[in-house]
Amino acid sequence: IGIQWVLREAHFERASRAVEATIVSKDIKRASQQENTSTEYRLRYRFTPPAAAPVEGTAKVAVEQWESAQPGGTLAVRYLPEDPASNRLAGKSDWFSAIFATAFGCVFGAVGGIVLWVRIRRVRLIVRLMRDGIATEGTVVHVRQTGTSINRVRQWQLDYQFTDGAGRQRGDVSELMSPEK
């Protein structure tokens, strides 16, 4: 999504056209505890692209710009010729959001990739043990309840030891288990 947003911003910057729009109206969306935390000052404007129907847009502006704007006045606007409904005030961009979304996606993609890689390694180990492993007797050293719950059922783990084929003593901890197991 972030990369798509960056590409859209780059396209808008490259392909958009400038036009003078007429201010149709101005309004205020007051701050409230439920919805928006700050007051929004908005201008509604209209412009007519060449060989197209008139298009209306709305822009949030600074209070100073809102106070000086009057219906019938003009604003500099940029729009995409192939989609005039995609428009904004000239000089405004959404690069911060696009870069933030890309960075956010990269972080979550990296974390997800690491988790996936760890799980794939674990599954490959289990498959290899099931295919090539040798069954042996082991001893349960300790049974303990963990701090993990799945569907509100506390999970348990076993600490166990066994002797491998070379006669070495080995130990490990089981996967999480339900109390019945």
Side-chain angles (χ1 to χ4, degrees):
I1 292 171
I3 291 171
Q4 182 183 17
W5 209 335
V6 166
L7 293 173
R8 190 175 25 193
E9 280 302 307
H11 174 69
F12 192 91
E13 207 170 87
R14 184 179 59 254
S16 66
R17 302 287 180 257
V19 68
E20 285 294 312
T22 303
I23 299 171
V24 176
S25 65
K26 60 186 205 175
D27 67 329
I28 298 174
K29 186 174 182 183
R30 302 221 182 265
S32 68
Q33 291 179 339
Q34 294 81 14
E35 291 180 23
N36 48 328
T37 57
S38 62
T39 300
E40 290 179 5
Y41 298 91
R42 300 183 298 198
L43 297 177
R44 179 175 301 272
Y45 55 86
R46 181 180 299 133
F47 65 95
T48 305
V55 176
E56 281 199 10
T58 304
K60 291 185 226 175
V61 296
V63 64
E64 296 82 13
Q65 186 177 4
W66 185 86
E67 286 174 343
S68 66
Q70 295 300 321
T74 60
L75 288 170
V77 172
R78 295 194 68 82
Y79 71 96
L80 289 175
E82 68 271 15
D83 180 20
S86 181
N87 60 73
R88 63 175 76 138
L89 294 182
K92 298 280 186 176
S93 75
D94 213 4
W95 278 109
F96 176 78
S97 299
I99 291 169
F100 179 77
T102 302
F104 191 73
C106 288
V107 167
F108 273 91
V111 169
I114 290 168
V115 169
L116 178 64
W117 179 71
V118 167
R119 292 309 300 165
I120 287 173
R121 285 190 60 198
R122 180 72 181 160
V123 167
R124 289 180 66 198
L125 172 66
I126 291 168
V127 167
R128 194 175 94 230
L129 284 172
M130 299 297 283
R131 186 184 61 227
D132 302 330
I134 300 170
T136 188
E137 291 289 318
T139 305
V140 175
V141 177
H142 189 252
V143 179
R144 61 188 156 83
Q145 190 176 32
T146 67
T148 304
S149 293
I150 299 175
N151 294 333
R152 296 187 189 147
V153 175
R154 277 297 188 94
Q155 300 296 297
W156 293 72
Q157 283 186 315
L158 304 176
D159 295 332
Y160 60 91
Q161 290 182 340
F162 64 95
T163 304
D164 69 10
R168 291 183 295 235
Q169 190 76 13
R170 304 237 182 216
D172 206 348
V173 178
S174 71
E175 296 277 331
L176 295 174
M177 297 183 210
S178 65
E180 297 81 37
K181 286 186 180 179

